[in-house]
Amino acid sequence: MKVMRRLVPLLLLPVGLGVQAQTESQGVVGVRGALLSYSDEAVRERLASGGFFLDLDDRESGGFRLALGRDAIRYRDASTMDQDTALVGGRLYIPLGAGQGKLVIQGDLGRVTFQEQGLAKQTATISGAHLGYLSDIHPEFARLWLDLGFIQSRYDGGLRAEQWSPTLGFGVNDNMDWFTLGADAITLKGTGGPEEQTTAFKASWTHYFVPGAGMKPRSIYLSGLAGERIYAADTDLAIIYTLGDYQTGRWAFGATWGGAKGAGFSLEAGSSRFEDRTTTPVTSYTTPFVAASIHYTW
């Protein structure tokens, strides 16, 4: 099959306090947009992305989330590619008893369709499952989060990426600072050759502020990734990479404004580094981006 060389970054900024600090049931709805450019070594020139997201969460039982996006990529030869992404997920909370925390079971389904100018439409389908443990029923008091996820991405032509993603999260400073450590181990199958494996490691830090006046943010975060991965999927952030190049690094910094209820917005900036290993010598390039979202929480 022809190895696809595409990128579908459905960028969905974190808009709530997250699993580690949310204390009550809530709903979040919003829109987001992103601009991404490619360094001169890449065959692509720029990408513009926009979308809608919805997250409904009942901390005593479960939740539902939906993300829809449309992306437009422009190539340096002036050709274009349009793509549409839809992700839907559900979660179930199972209390383990007084003071024993709870299990979190999560499932996700997704579909990406993309069509390069003058070529036939192609499709990728994503399915995933997560099993997690939160050390307290109410995340305000939790200090530990454990999660193991499995995501499978299937592409037209038989290509299949199987991804295992363990995650450890823990809070300090009365949960005003939250750290996560994780990995993505991906096995690539159906390429017509031997199976290929890649591994990447990732980490993030989020700091929550005491509410204040003016433009004081509600939270800030910093994340990074090292190693290598290919055809990765992050359903929690709604990012799907339908890309035949190797991602060898990523960093992002962002902030969220707004109260626990009502209107808010988020800003994020960062960059990824990729390698095209089909060329001699290997071609390396970067993809800096900026993104923003406006949301309403109730």
Side-chain angles (χ1 to χ4, degrees):
M1 64 169 292
K2 180 181 179 181
V3 177
M4 287 173 287
R5 307 170 55 71
R6 309 289 186 255
L7 173 61
V8 183
L10 178 58
L11 298 170
L12 178 61
L13 300 178
V15 295
L17 283 181
V19 68
Q20 72 279 6
Q22 184 181 319
T23 61
E24 59 184 19
S25 301
Q26 69 172 21
V28 181
V29 63
V31 294
R32 55 86 189 162
L35 293 174
L36 183 148
S37 64
Y38 300 83
S39 60
D40 292 342
E41 294 82 0
V43 298
R44 294 164 293 275
E45 182 179 1
R46 65 178 180 269
L47 178 146
S49 176
F52 163 87
F53 55 88
L54 172 69
D55 194 316
L56 305 175
D57 198 61
D58 183 339
R59 301 309 295 183
E60 300 301 324
S61 57
F64 169 84
R65 61 184 178 181
L66 171 69
L68 303 174
R70 184 168 180 83
D71 308 291
I73 293 178
R74 181 178 176 87
Y75 290 82
R76 297 192 186 279
D77 63 3
S79 62
T80 61
M81 184 177 73
D82 295 325
Q83 51 204 13
D84 295 284
T85 304
L87 287 170
V88 62
R91 66 186 75 92
L92 175 67
Y93 302 124
I94 304 176
L96 299 179
Q100 300 301 311
K102 60 182 172 181
L103 294 178
V104 183
I105 300 174
Q106 177 178 304
D108 297 284
L109 294 173
R111 181 181 177 89
V112 180
T113 59
F114 42 94
Q115 185 170 18
E116 194 169 2
Q117 186 175 322
L119 299 180
K121 182 179 292 186
Q122 300 186 69
T123 302
T125 58
I126 295 91
S127 57
H130 289 254
L131 176 63
Y133 168 75
L134 189 65
S135 62
D136 197 277
I137 292 295
H138 297 288
E140 179 182 6
F141 305 108
R143 290 293 186 270
L144 178 66
W145 165 250
L146 299 173
D147 176 77
L148 178 63
F150 175 77
I151 302 171
Q152 182 171 256
S153 304
R154 292 179 175 269
Y155 295 83
D156 290 345
L159 178 66
R160 186 168 80 253
E162 297 180 351
Q163 174 178 322
W164 289 95
S165 299
T167 301
L168 164 67
F170 56 94
V172 298
N173 190 25
D174 290 331
N175 274 11
M176 301 300 285
D177 291 284
W178 190 268
F179 298 88
T180 62
L181 302 172
D184 291 329
I186 301 173
T187 300
L188 203 60
K189 302 180 179 181
T191 62
E195 295 182 0
E196 182 177 359
Q197 295 183 337
T198 62
T199 303
F201 301 94
K202 50 193 178 181
S204 69
W205 163 69
T206 303
H207 177 73
Y208 300 98
F209 294 97
V210 175
M215 293 298 294
K216 183 178 181 179
R218 187 182 186 190
S219 65
I220 59 173
Y221 68 93
L222 177 67
S223 65
L225 177 145
E228 63 176 30
R229 63 181 189 174
I230 188 170
Y231 294 106
D234 190 330
T235 53
D236 286 335
L237 296 179
I239 300 178
I240 309 298
Y241 293 93
T242 59
L243 180 68
D245 294 347
Y246 293 79
Q247 186 182 27
T248 58
R250 185 181 190 273
W251 69 270
F253 177 78
T256 299
W257 288 263
K261 304 293 182 180
F265 68 96
S266 298
L267 295 174
E268 183 181 36
S271 181
S272 288
R273 184 172 181 82
F274 291 89
E275 290 183 355
D276 177 359
R277 298 181 183 176
T278 65
T279 64
T280 305
V282 172
T283 301
S284 298
Y285 62 92
T286 58
T287 58
F289 71 87
V290 292
S293 73
I294 302 174
H295 60 274
Y296 184 84
T297 305
W298 70 92

